[in-house]
Amino acid sequence: MLSFYTLLHNILPSKKEVRPINSSAGCFFTDGKLYLAGYQPKKKNPYISGIGGHVEVGEDEFEAALRELIEELLEIHPVPKDLLKELLAKCVPKRRVCNNSYTIFEFSFNNLELILKHIETHKIQSPLYNTFPTTISDLVFQRLIRPALIDPEITHLVVLPFVDHPLHNELLSPCLRSDVHILRSSTPLE
């Protein structure tokens, strides 16, 4: 026979089950003037979006954001558990902002370069780079687009001005436009 507490534990949702069913999380890298985003050609309507994705079973939002970062920037699948665990311990976002069911973890460009240098120490090769990228410049300009060999979720990385874009909806995803607006409204530009 189950104890009363075991019964309650089995029927009440755990903390990880309380989050919205379709919750997502991502990393947002900015210096206050520019930010990093990616072009996703596989979407029904291809557009530039943020870097992130769905929270998988057993993950919290921060784990999902870091895993998606490695998957989308570097096409490393699966993300090694030890690497993810180390990044979770080392990475401290400037802030966490929730936009409906999407959680944004904001970092600086310097943080991104530190993350890349840490990933490089694991000697993991990315199929999108001949030499592992350790700078923003390498990440954006040395990226290989080889659809015959690999079909990444994000093909091109872009650095955009950190402004509420007057650009057409067809270019930027509605979610990215909303994220930028929310982050801008509470982040002073330097």
Side-chain angles (χ1 to χ4, degrees), residues 62-82:
F62 194 43
E63 285 176 271
L66 290 175
R67 176 188 48 74
E68 288 283 343
L69 170 73
I70 296 167
E71 289 176 355
E72 291 185 355
L73 288 188
L74 303 167
E75 278 299 311
I76 295 172
H77 302 278
V79 174
K81 299 274 186 213
D82 59 330

Side-chain angles (χ1 to χ4, degrees), residues 168-181:
H168 297 288
N169 288 339
E170 298 86 37
L171 181 59
L172 296 180
S173 76
C175 293
L176 180 60
R177 294 167 71 90
S178 176
D179 293 346
V180 167
H181 178 74

Side-chain angles (χ1 to χ4, degrees), residues 25-27 37-40 43 49-54 64-77 79 102 126 128-129 139 143 152-157:
C27 295
Y39 176 65
Q40 294 191 342
K43 297 289 184 187
S49 69
I51 298 162
H54 294 290
L66 290 175
R67 176 188 48 74
E68 288 283 343
L69 170 73
I70 296 167
E71 289 176 355
E72 291 185 355
L73 288 188
L74 303 167
E75 278 299 311
I76 295 172
H77 302 278
V79 174
Y102 190 72
S126 167
L128 299 177
Y129 298 91
L139 195 66
R143 193 172 183 89
E153 185 174 346
I154 291 178
T155 55
H156 299 76
L157 294 171

